[in-house]
Amino acid sequence: MKIQYASYQDTIDALQNAMSEHPHLIRLQSIGKTWEGRPIMLVTVSLDVTYADDKPALLYTGSIHAREWIGNELALKFIHYITENYRFNPKLQTALTRNTLYMVPCLNPDGFEYSRNHFSFWRKNRRNNGDGTYGVDLNRNFDAKFMRNQNTGSNTYGGPHAFSEPETCAIRDFVEQHDNIRIALDYHSQGNVFFPAHKFNHEVEIEGADLNILCANMNHEIKKVTGRQYGIHRGKPPAQLIHGSGREYYYRKGIIATVVEVGTRNIPDYMKNMSESVAENIPAIVHALNEAINYSPLAPQRVADFTIKGVDHEGVELEWQYDNRDDIYFELYRSESNKSPCGEESLIAITKSLSFRDSQLRSGQSYFYNIRAVDKVTKIKSPFSPELRLKTHLARHQSARTLFPAKEYVGYLSENYLSKNKEHFGYNSMFIGVDKKRGVSLGVVQFDLSTLPVGANIERAEFSLYPMNRVAAKIEQYGEWSVSIIDPNEIVDIYDYQAVSEARPLHTLGQTFESDKMTQGIWMKWQLNGVERTLLNSLITQKSLLLRLQGPKTLPIGNDSQVMQFDIGYGPFGSGLHYRPNLELVYQVPEQQLTLAPTRCNTIYKDAVVADRLASGFDEQGEIVYGQMAFALNADLPVEKTVFTQACLTLRSCNSIASAKDVRFTIELVELQDVDFQAVKQRQKIEYIGYEVSNEQLRERAEHHFIFDSYSLQALERLHQAHTPFYFIIRATSESQATNALVNWTACQDQHPAQLKINYISRRKQAVSAPRNLSAQTEGGVVKLMWENPEDDDFVGCFVVRNRFHPPRSPFDGVKLYGGKDAYTLDNFGNAKLSKYYAVFSYDDVPNYSEPVTLYFCAEE
């Protein structure tokens, strides 16, 4: 038999039955009455429910919008899940022992029943507005930035004043009487997305990490059930802020609050799709319930001053402040993207220290760090500190670029709007997919590669795109979105839909995104593999990379839209540089090579030095004999801009040792003052070069290659900087004393002398000077920053970043505001009424970043 949605009376009956069967667990009450006299039911769940109001609590509200039946249905299924599982599920037992669940399955009973029985798309309650219209949008009726709207017929009419409705008054009164509520989840449909609360200030708040991580961890639980990923829409200035919502009302009272939009339709048939939506959200709610105590007065204090102490190309040192307490330790989490879960998979350290060195990282890679304190006895955890973002330094041989498309080269083309397609570029957003109105729509992004040197070798490449809205992707598990590289020489006009649509892809990037993996508010990233990077290398000569973004091209019968909307950072509703599509590249500029012959060769015995001969081993008395070589750099290479990328010392042996003893030969790079036995024996070794060569290998072949590691390469550079020759010693070792064991190597004057081959690139090693005299002032309600650029021929620009919590110690530790040669910028998306830190870094074309010049902008909040 087909399963039907529960009516409001069915809901009450089910809750009363659950309470009667589990009186120690469940308490049911009415917290008010609607215009039509229906009770607004709230169920309290906790072990033991008698003490429920003394525990930290999670507030669940559902179906505040009448047509969004999922909130009520999920609540019923969650209560059923609890009653069936709490006796043996340890995670659920812990959650209910330490926390309380307050659940209002339906906050809009009148509208819910009207939607079920009269007009399914009804949204509001059933207030008689006295002018022939009915209903108030309850989620616009709270007093958080309530906005008066005279259009009573509007679906978003917020009522005559804040809290004019009995439903919102009921939940307000309950919340104000229960200061134990720490987390609030407000369930809606549709969109498969979390909408965490904000404070209308377009700035990051102290709870920003808490909100994103709560949603990310719930998302992780959802993904484990169905593989689906919800979006998380926080951290970006909302284009249209919602006024008068319950979410912001709860958040203003210090409650961690988020809306959860479930499913892709308001009222789908109650079969597979809605069953999946219910099933995937149950473990997510359990996780949220377990977190309530971590935001209560029982929790440890939030870790203070979590910041970056130092960064290099393979690691980072983090530090923080906390009172000296024996009962506290710290959990540290790391991810390669923001809005990622903080759980066992990302936990990198448990420590009592106030600092941590995270090593073995990749160079030029972005990392995100989160930290919380834990009480070692109770295991209650603190809220999270503001998230740290950084990028490790580039390796010595690497350069990097982050490319953004110019506004005329990013947009979308629709088959039904051919004459207007040019207007879709550089304006607000891209629509990609298919719908009845536009037909098929393709995204186009073109990057200028002219700043990359021809012959560069791209080591890493990542294309990123910010999805801002997936509501028009209405069909569950249908279609996929992908990115193709097309030949820019084949496209005369990138605004020509037909030409772009029919262009043959040079390559389609390997990763595609299926509809249930399409999120909003979380960056989508395409990592280019080796084949794709090779193609990108070849396109550098054409100075252009042209990408075509495509989604599904057909619609099943009865469906009208399967479209994703992406931010492009331009236009009145674009969110600026921080949200533009971008291409991040890490590459090596073309190498050059030097081949050096030894300027001196010596064989050094205990009592003699033989010039122009190269031998090593042991003499007749078993005394060691050293071979010694010197190389002089015969090229005029500027030390401040020369990086050695590879080096190899090649030697040819003229004989092997007749003895059966295991004799081996090593090459050392050394500091050497004099060429005599005593000086060589007391030499200062810098590093071994390559691997040792055994006598057996000498018998097998004559030519031997000794490869320099990264430390040895840097040692060569230090010697180059000191204008010192490169000295090498060939040293023999043996398992036991050996005699008459000499190997002759080809020397300076021989036909095949030793060779030292050095590959190098021209790349600045040190950053240019930092900017000077950073200042700020407010103009027209906007913060204007001004500074003085350094005077250096290699100066490329300045990078400006904002952080509300601490001075940025990395160019990526905050919100990027500007990058370029100007000596000023405006913080257009910031709030001039909030205090914050600004930092400006200068950079060259590598880029190397200078130390920051920082400023604390003090404003009256």
Side-chain angles (χ1 to χ4, degrees):
M1 184 178 71
K2 182 177 176 180
I3 303 172
Q4 300 290 337
Y5 282 91
S7 69
Y8 193 61
Q9 188 57 52
D10 292 337
T11 300
I12 295 173
D13 294 344
L15 295 177
Q16 288 176 333
N17 184 61
M19 181 177 65
S20 65
E21 292 181 358
H22 306 275
H24 66 294
L25 177 69
I26 295 173
R27 181 175 70 214
L28 186 64
Q29 68 188 99
S30 170
I31 59 171
K33 284 198 172 182
T34 66
W35 289 109
E36 294 179 351
R38 292 183 176 87
I40 302 167
M41 303 306 296
L42 181 142
V43 59
T44 300
V45 186
S46 192
L47 285 170
D48 168 354
V49 75
T50 304
Y51 303 100
D53 295 340
D54 298 328
K55 302 178 187 179
L58 166 72
L59 173 65
Y60 175 113
T61 53
S63 300
I64 192 172
H65 289 146
R67 63 197 181 202
E68 298 172 16
W69 301 353
I70 180 62
N72 187 78
E73 201 69 24
L74 175 57
L76 282 181
K77 294 299 184 290
F78 190 64
I79 295 295
H80 179 72
Y81 172 83
I82 290 174
T83 59
E84 292 292 308
N85 292 276
Y86 78 93
R87 295 179 184 87
F88 60 84
N89 183 325
K91 188 173 182 179
L92 185 57
Q93 283 182 345
T94 300
L96 292 170
T97 300
R98 291 155 65 113
N99 306 279
T100 292
L101 172 67
Y102 297 129
M103 182 171 269
V104 181
C106 179
L107 194 53
N108 185 1
D110 292 351
F112 178 72
E113 284 302 301
Y114 190 80
S115 173
R116 289 185 65 256
N117 295 302
H118 298 285
F119 177 60
S120 64
F121 215 58
W122 188 255
R123 172 183 170 98
K124 301 184 284 184
N125 71 353
R126 291 299 295 167
R127 175 192 182 96
N128 185 341
N129 292 321
D131 58 0
T133 67
Y134 284 82
V136 165
D137 182 346
L138 297 177
N139 207 38
R140 302 295 184 274
N141 189 243
F142 292 81
D143 69 349
K145 292 281 186 178
F146 174 80
M147 180 178 288
R148 198 172 302 279
N149 177 0
Q150 301 300 326
N151 183 5
T152 59
S154 167
N155 260 340
T156 57
Y157 171 57
H161 56 81
F163 293 120
S164 62
E165 307 308 296
E167 298 90 345
T168 53
C169 287
I171 196 66
R172 176 200 63 190
D173 294 346
F174 183 82
V175 169
E176 293 189 352
Q177 292 162 14
H178 293 79
D179 60 5
N180 60 324
I181 297 173
R182 311 316 304 162
I183 295 176
L185 304 178
D186 188 16
Y187 275 83
H188 293 243
S189 62
Q190 57 177 327
N192 287 340
V193 60
F194 294 92
F195 284 112
H198 52 78
K199 291 184 178 174
F200 300 92
N201 58 29
H202 285 191
E203 294 264 14
V204 179
E205 293 111 39
I206 191 70
E207 306 89 359
D210 297 313
L211 285 159
N212 275 332
I213 294 169
L214 173 66
C215 296
N217 284 341
M218 292 177 68
N219 210 355
H220 184 63
E221 297 297 325
I222 289 169
K223 187 177 180 180
K224 285 193 288 187
V225 177
T226 60
R228 187 176 288 113
Q229 290 194 82
Y230 283 31
I232 304 173
H233 229 315
R234 191 174 209 281
K236 170 182 186 289
Q240 293 179 324
L241 298 175
I242 295 174
H243 292 261
S245 80
R247 172 189 60 188
E248 272 66 50
Y249 165 73
Y250 306 135
Y251 185 41
R252 194 184 65 193
K253 295 186 71 64
I255 298 170
I256 299 297
T258 184
V259 160
V260 190
E261 299 274 3
V262 180
T264 55
R265 291 171 181 257
N266 286 327
I267 312 173
D269 200 19
Y270 197 114
M271 297 184 74
K272 180 180 179 182
N273 290 345
M274 190 52 69
S275 297
E276 283 185 358
S277 294
V278 168
E280 69 191 7
N281 274 282
I282 284 175
I285 301 172
V286 173
H287 172 84
L289 180 58
N290 259 309
E291 282 290 314
I293 196 170
N294 297 330
Y295 294 94
S296 73
L298 299 171
Q301 290 295 309
R302 195 189 306 268
V303 175
D305 298 324
F306 181 44
T307 189
I308 303 163
K309 186 175 183 180
V311 184
D312 55 41
H313 73 280
E314 61 182 4
V316 57
E317 188 166 5
L318 307 173
E319 62 182 1
W320 54 93
Q321 300 294 320
Y322 211 84
D323 292 340
N324 186 16
R325 288 176 52 181
D326 290 336
D327 59 338
I328 292 293
Y329 63 87
F330 307 99
E331 291 183 346
L332 195 65
Y333 301 86
R334 180 191 68 212
S335 175
E336 293 186 12
S337 59
N338 69 336
K339 301 180 184 176
S340 291
C342 290
E344 286 298 321
E345 299 84 357
S346 59
L347 180 65
I348 60 166
I350 296 175
T351 179
K352 280 189 66 65
S353 174
L354 296 180
S355 65
F356 178 74
R357 167 77 182 178
D358 192 15
S359 56
Q360 306 300 318
L361 302 180
R362 290 194 300 169
S363 59
Q365 174 69 46
S366 293
Y367 292 98
F368 299 80
Y369 290 90
N370 289 283
I371 193 171
R372 68 196 317 186
V374 185
D375 186 308
K376 72 178 183 180
V377 177
T378 67
K379 300 298 186 266
I380 301 173
K381 303 180 181 183
S382 76
F384 285 93
S385 294
E387 184 172 74
L388 278 184
R389 179 189 173 189
L390 58 91
K391 191 179 273 189
T392 49
H393 291 175
L394 296 167
R396 297 169 56 258
H397 70 282
Q398 291 175 329
S399 296
R401 290 283 185 278
T402 301
L403 303 180
F404 300 92
K407 63 188 302 184
E408 62 269 25
Y409 294 121
V410 56
Y412 73 98
L413 305 170
S414 294
E415 66 174 334
N416 294 344
Y417 290 96
L418 301 181
S419 63
K420 293 187 175 182
N421 275 334
K422 191 171 183 178
E423 299 173 15
H424 298 157
F425 279 68
Y427 187 76
N428 291 343
S429 52
M430 284 191 293
F431 296 89
I432 300 171
V434 57
D435 61 2
K436 296 290 187 181
K437 179 180 176 183
R438 301 180 186 87
V440 174
S441 294
L442 305 169
V444 176
V445 182
Q446 187 164 11
F447 293 101
D448 180 3
L449 303 181
S450 63
T451 59
L452 300 176
V454 174
N457 178 43
I458 296 173
E459 298 182 0
R460 288 207 305 275
E462 182 178 77
F463 172 59
S464 300
L465 197 61
Y466 190 84
M468 60 187 298
N469 196 330
R470 64 149 294 144
V471 170
K474 297 181 179 179
I475 312 169
E476 292 277 8
Q477 299 178 354
Y478 177 78
E480 58 185 18
W481 281 254
S482 60
V483 179
S484 294
I485 301 173
I486 57 179
D487 190 342
N489 293 327
E490 289 187 9
I491 306 297
V492 177
D493 180 5
I494 66 168
Y495 309 123
D496 184 339
Y497 171 84
Q498 207 67 31
V500 172
S501 175
E502 295 175 359
R504 177 182 58 85
L506 296 174
H507 186 84
T508 297
L509 303 188
Q511 184 180 9
T512 62
F513 284 87
E514 298 172 345
S515 62
D516 57 338
K517 308 299 189 301
M518 297 293 287
T519 64
Q520 62 189 71
I522 301 176
W523 282 93
M524 293 171 57
K525 297 178 182 293
W526 283 262
Q527 298 274 356
L528 275 64
N529 62 30
V531 172
E532 294 157 354
R533 295 196 303 273
T534 299
L535 175 58
L536 188 53
N537 282 331
S538 69
L539 290 173
I540 293 175
T541 58
Q542 300 184 36
K543 300 184 178 181
S544 179
L545 172 67
L546 182 57
L547 301 178
R548 181 182 67 200
L549 290 72
Q550 54 262 329
K553 295 184 177 180
T554 59
L555 289 168
I557 294 174
N559 291 275
D560 62 359
S561 177
Q562 193 71 339
V563 171
M564 279 295 299
Q565 183 181 0
F566 299 89
D567 199 342
I568 65 171
Y570 296 102
F573 300 112
S575 297
L577 176 65
H578 208 56
Y579 293 93
R580 286 179 197 159
N582 62 80
L583 180 68
E584 287 207 9
L585 303 173
V586 175
Y587 61 93
Q588 180 180 302
V589 299
E591 289 180 322
Q592 300 181 66
Q593 188 178 80
L594 286 172
T595 301
L596 306 179
T599 56
R600 279 191 293 166
C601 296
N602 294 292
T603 301
I604 303 172
Y605 294 86
K606 184 177 182 181
D607 53 6
V609 175
V610 179
D612 298 327
R613 182 189 172 199
L614 193 60
S616 61
F618 300 94
D619 64 13
E620 293 86 347
Q621 288 76 41
E623 291 286 353
I624 190 167
V625 178
Y626 296 101
Q628 180 264 329
M629 296 176 291
F631 294 83
L633 200 61
N634 56 10
D636 184 18
L637 302 178
V639 295
E640 71 277 3
K641 290 188 178 181
T642 301
V643 174
F644 294 158
T645 55
Q646 297 180 63
C648 176
L649 178 62
T650 301
L651 287 176
R652 292 182 66 86
S653 57
C654 302
N655 67 298
S656 60
I657 298 170
S659 170
K661 287 184 180 295
D662 187 5
V663 180
R664 294 171 179 263
F665 298 87
T666 59
I667 307 293
E668 297 176 8
L669 177 64
V670 299
E671 301 274 6
L672 201 59
Q673 298 298 323
D674 297 304
V675 182
D676 60 62
F677 187 83
Q678 201 61 31
V680 170
K681 191 171 183 178
Q682 296 175 355
R683 68 198 176 278
Q684 181 180 345
K685 183 186 73 176
I686 298 176
E687 184 61 82
Y688 289 112
I689 306 300
Y691 291 95
E692 61 187 15
V693 174
S694 67
N695 192 41
E696 184 178 346
Q697 290 170 313
L698 293 175
R699 294 190 188 103
E700 292 173 354
R701 62 183 185 275
E703 189 169 90
H704 307 278
H705 303 285
F706 299 86
I707 309 299
F708 286 61
D709 61 17
S710 58
Y711 180 84
S712 304
L713 284 172
Q714 292 181 61
L716 274 187
E717 285 189 24
R718 289 196 299 271
L719 295 171
H720 170 220
Q721 187 168 357
H723 303 288
T724 302
F726 308 145
Y727 292 107
F728 297 91
I729 293 294
I730 309 174
R731 181 174 70 98
T733 60
S734 177
E735 60 181 341
S736 59
Q737 186 174 18
T739 57
N740 290 319
L742 275 179
V743 170
N744 293 302
W745 312 86
T746 54
C748 304
Q749 75 282 7
D750 293 333
Q751 185 178 2
H752 298 290
Q755 280 189 339
L756 177 60
K757 289 186 176 181
I758 300 175
N759 288 17
Y760 67 94
I761 59 173
S762 179
R763 174 198 184 273
R764 187 179 173 107
K765 298 179 186 179
Q766 302 297 328
V768 298
S769 300
R772 303 178 306 277
N773 299 327
L774 176 61
S775 63
Q777 63 187 46
T778 304
E779 292 185 0
V782 174
V783 176
K784 181 179 182 179
L785 301 167
M786 297 159 288
W787 61 90
E788 294 178 19
N789 288 327
E791 295 180 4
D792 192 302
D793 291 341
D794 290 331
F795 170 75
V796 170
C798 281
F799 199 102
V800 184
V801 64
R802 177 186 75 215
N803 190 307
R804 282 206 63 202
F805 308 109
H806 57 257
R809 297 186 182 178
S810 159
F812 310 95
D813 184 19
V815 177
K816 179 182 178 182
L817 303 181
Y818 173 74
K821 287 194 172 185
D822 287 341
Y824 76 95
T825 193
L826 300 175
D827 187 3
N828 290 313
F829 289 102
N831 189 330
K833 296 181 179 179
L834 294 177
S835 299
K836 66 207 77 176
Y837 296 91
Y838 292 101
V840 183
F841 303 78
S842 63
Y843 60 92
D844 55 26
D845 68 346
V846 172
N848 296 301
Y849 292 97
S850 72
E851 290 298 310
V853 53
T854 60
L855 177 147
Y856 180 66
F857 177 79
C858 186
E860 185 176 336
E861 297 195 24

